[in-house]
């Protein structure tokens, strides 16, 4: 009997999402809720697209300080096709590092953990194959944007 293949990672696309001002919603039944608007940006790699304003990251800050990431946003290709992206993941690190990120200070990405699962949905026939794969990403939080490289799990 053979074993399942060990998954590998294949670089697929890069995302640079511009962010609006953080909205602190306070403590809700889900936890400390924050919403960060996604106001634009670019996607390059397997496809090229402009990130459209109107998406957001609906975060929950857990009691241990880790931040649960839950983003939903759209992008448009040059020929007018749309891609819907959804990410889920976690950003964690020492309290002083997370506080520095919150203040918009530059922090070495090696000082914190920021990983995502990425799901894509599209009506563009040439990109439909992307819906048949699993993507993971390693992300960087900067003062006014998030950047990540998404990898197709092989």
């Amino acid at each position: 009997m053979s074993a399942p293949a060990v998954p590998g990672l294949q670089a697929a696309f890069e995302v640079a999402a511009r962010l609006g001002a953080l909205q602190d919603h306070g403590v809700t039944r889900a936890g400390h809720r924050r919403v960060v608007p996604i106001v634009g940006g670019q996607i390059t790699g397997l496809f090229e697209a402009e990130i459209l304003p109107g998406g957001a990251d609906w975060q929950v800050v857990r009691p241990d300080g880790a931040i649960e990431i839950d983003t939903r946003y759209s992008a448009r290709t040059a020929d007018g096709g749309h891609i819907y992206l959804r990410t889920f993941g976690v950003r964690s690190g020492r309290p002083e590092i997370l506080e520095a990120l919150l203040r918009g200070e530059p922090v070495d990405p090696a000082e914190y953990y920021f990983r995502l699962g990425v799901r894509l949905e599209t009506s563009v026939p040439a990109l439909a194959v992307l819906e048949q794969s699993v993507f993971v990403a390693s992300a960087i939080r900067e003062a006014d944007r998030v950047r990540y490289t998404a990898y197709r799990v092989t």
Side-chain angles (χ1 to χ4, degrees):
M1 177 181 277
S2 58
V6 174
L9 298 177
Q10 183 178 66
F13 54 92
E14 306 258 340
V15 172
R18 288 192 327 274
L19 307 174
L22 181 143
Q23 303 164 9
D24 192 328
H25 289 218
V27 177
T28 71
R29 70 172 184 253
H32 185 169
R33 175 70 65 188
R34 302 188 316 200
V35 178
V36 181
I38 297 172
V39 298
Q42 296 289 32
I43 302 173
T44 57
L46 288 179
F47 63 96
E48 310 279 321
E50 175 188 358
I51 297 172
L52 302 173
D57 179 3
W58 287 268
Q59 302 177 347
V60 172
V61 182
R62 299 190 318 218
D64 65 1
I67 301 158
E68 294 180 7
I69 304 297
D70 177 11
T71 70
R72 287 163 253 164
Y73 57 101
S74 296
R76 184 175 47 229
T77 63
D79 60 0
H82 286 89
I83 300 120
Y84 168 70
L85 295 97
R86 181 158 188 193
T87 72
F88 54 93
V90 66
R91 186 168 68 234
S92 61
R94 296 188 323 273
E96 63 273 15
I97 296 296
L98 296 177
E99 289 165 12
L101 288 170
L102 186 60
R103 290 189 301 268
E105 297 173 9
V107 176
D108 181 347
E111 293 292 318
Y112 59 96
Y113 181 89
F114 191 2
R115 302 295 184 269
L116 304 168
V118 183
R119 295 181 62 185
L120 301 172
E121 182 181 317
T122 184
S123 61
V124 178
L127 299 178
V129 68
L130 298 172
E131 297 176 321
Q132 300 171 8
S133 294
V134 171
F135 296 91
V136 295
S138 181
I140 297 170
R141 177 63 157 98
E142 297 174 342
D144 65 349
R145 68 181 178 159
V146 166
R147 292 187 299 119
Y148 65 83
T149 301
Y151 297 87
R152 180 179 169 273
V153 180
T154 62

